[in-house]
Amino acid sequence: MLRSTRAIFAAVLVNISYAQKQPCCDTLTASTISELVTYPSQLAYNASIASYFDGKSRLTPNCIVQPKTAEDVSTIIKVLTAEELSVPCRFAVRSGGHTPIPGSNNVDDGVTIDLLYMNSTTYNAETQIASVKPAARWGSVYQTLEPLGRMVAGGRGSTVGVGGFLLGGGISHYAPRVGLSCDNVVNFQVVLADGSIVNANKTSNADLFRALKGGSSNFGIVTRYDMETFGNEDLWGGIVTYPASTADHHFKALVNFGLNPDRDPNAALIVFQGYSTASPTDVVRAAFDYTRPVTRPDAYKEFFEVATNISDTTKIQPMSAIAAEFGSDTTKRVQFRTLSFKIDLATIQETARLYKIVITELQAKASGQWRVSCLHQVWATSYTANSTVRGGNVLGMERYIENFIMYQSYLSWSEAKDDELFIGLGKMLTDGIQKFTTEKGTAVDYLYLNYADKDQDPLMGYGDDQVAFMRVVASKYDPTGVYQRLMPGGFKISHV
């Protein structure tokens, strides 16, 4: 009994010391949402930190507050921006916690607003609209909608969170059919900098509606996404792994696939090279996703010419099962980087040459468990063909009249001591590709925000006119710059 009392007293002292260190946490604890605040050493705090996708992002906020409603979020923002506070309250907002950039969804010496409990999906049969809360994971969204015979254009991995994905644009397996995921949002419920809760759609706050589709966390905290749905049916898809010696064949097939003006709108795929210490063989993989229940459709005929494979998981299955295959664990440290280039075989081959250099370096120097994946996928102009009639977005894709390749390097590793090695090699890889594309004339300015690293500038890649528009919207809805000054993480329009 005495030991238990001492433990409780020690925990109280820890919480008091953190509250004294950070008046912002003290003020939250004294407010009407005090029961939503958790401190270091408490179970809820520790569980939140441990659940981040990227180990580098497990920072140490002075406290974490976990709202359950939009009204809770409103209260939190009002408390953190109150004039009588003696210090400015720095904060971060976490939806799914999948962005692997430290500071983008967590904060040291500040407050993390963890939307953990705002994770439900509901469906309105009359309007055929799915209302999705920001911390839902796409796997749970699909599992909710599939029994109802409905589907949305969401993330391709089950563990990816809804919020950041949609605010960054969002590419789904259904993009060739229904466009980008953000353009399938018909309404955003948003908590603005003054704590007011508003709706943004084509007829109400239409400028904010457009800015949120690609504009990331610059304008407010989105607490609900209302999305168009469409009829659900099983897909044919999965991942086929081939020997590395077949890479050139797959690259040529990808070029033809991307340039085909009559491309089947049900067909999507990703071609990627990969190496892992768990299975130390250099391979090339094709992730096929055909949004009809048709086995081995003709859209992939050229890829199927390679008869020999190492493994094949393709089958007719629901979207939730395909997304589960793309799910990610939370046991590694992660780096994403991205760039885009014209559909050009020599450029793709150069990415493969630089990839091999990276693998060789890591084999010689890295420790623990690690893997490297380098992904090539077609970004089609059809993805945004109907964007304007849906209220528009800020991605600036109307500049492009040809399809292009969107590239992502995805490095993960287990040892913190190797951070500098992996981060440096990841940057060397994309810098090398960028140099080649610039010299060859195949560079494309666009950077997909959801794959960008902290030193990259995806907002600038939208074009000067879109940057100017976002600045106007940010000034209108956040005139004191709360989401620029106090929420420093992420890609900020004020930094462009």
Side-chain angles (χ1 to χ4, degrees), residues 82-106:
E83 291 184 1
E84 60 268 22
L85 282 168
S86 60
V87 296
C89 293
R90 296 170 66 253
F91 64 92
V93 178
R94 174 194 177 167
S95 294
H98 196 264
T99 300
I101 302 176
S104 64
N105 46 26
N106 202 358

Side-chain angles (χ1 to χ4, degrees), residues 335 337 339 350-351 353-361 407 409 411 420-436 453 455:
Q335 181 204 52
R337 292 186 69 80
L339 49 78
E350 175 67 6
T351 72
R353 185 186 74 83
L354 293 169
Y355 157 84
K356 290 179 180 178
I357 293 174
V358 169
I359 296 300
T360 300
E361 283 285 300
Y407 176 88
S409 60
L411 281 63
E420 185 176 344
L421 172 65
F422 280 87
I423 291 170
L425 285 173
K427 188 174 187 305
M428 183 209 75
L429 174 61
T430 53
D431 283 354
I433 298 170
Q434 188 67 57
K435 181 176 184 293
F436 182 90
D453 202 1
D455 65 300

Side-chain angles (χ1 to χ4, degrees), residues 171-202:
I171 303 172
S172 78
H173 295 315
Y174 300 96
R177 275 172 49 188
V178 302
L180 292 182
S181 299
C182 67
D183 286 326
N184 282 261
V185 178
V186 297
N187 181 71
F188 298 90
Q189 182 189 70
V190 193
V191 176
L192 300 179
D194 63 359
S196 59
I197 303 172
V198 303
N199 287 304
N201 49 59
K202 281 182 66 175

Side-chain angles (χ1 to χ4, degrees), residues 9 34 36 108 137 145 150 154 159 171 195 224 239 260 267-269 310 335 350 365 411 414 416 419 448 455:
F9 182 65
S34 59
L36 305 178
D108 279 324
R137 308 297 176 94
L145 295 177
R150 306 304 294 176
T159 53
I171 303 172
R224 193 185 73 236
I239 299 175
N260 181 3
L269 89 157
I310 298 170
Q335 181 204 52
E350 175 67 6
K365 298 177 181 178
L411 281 63
S414 61
D419 283 1
Y448 180 48
D455 65 300

Side-chain angles (χ1 to χ4, degrees), residues 39-62:
Y39 289 90
S41 82
Q42 294 185 330
L43 291 178
Y45 181 103
N46 294 340
S48 176
I49 298 301
S51 64
Y52 278 85
F53 165 61
D54 168 35
K56 297 185 280 73
S57 297
R58 292 170 193 159
L59 308 180
T60 53
N62 293 331

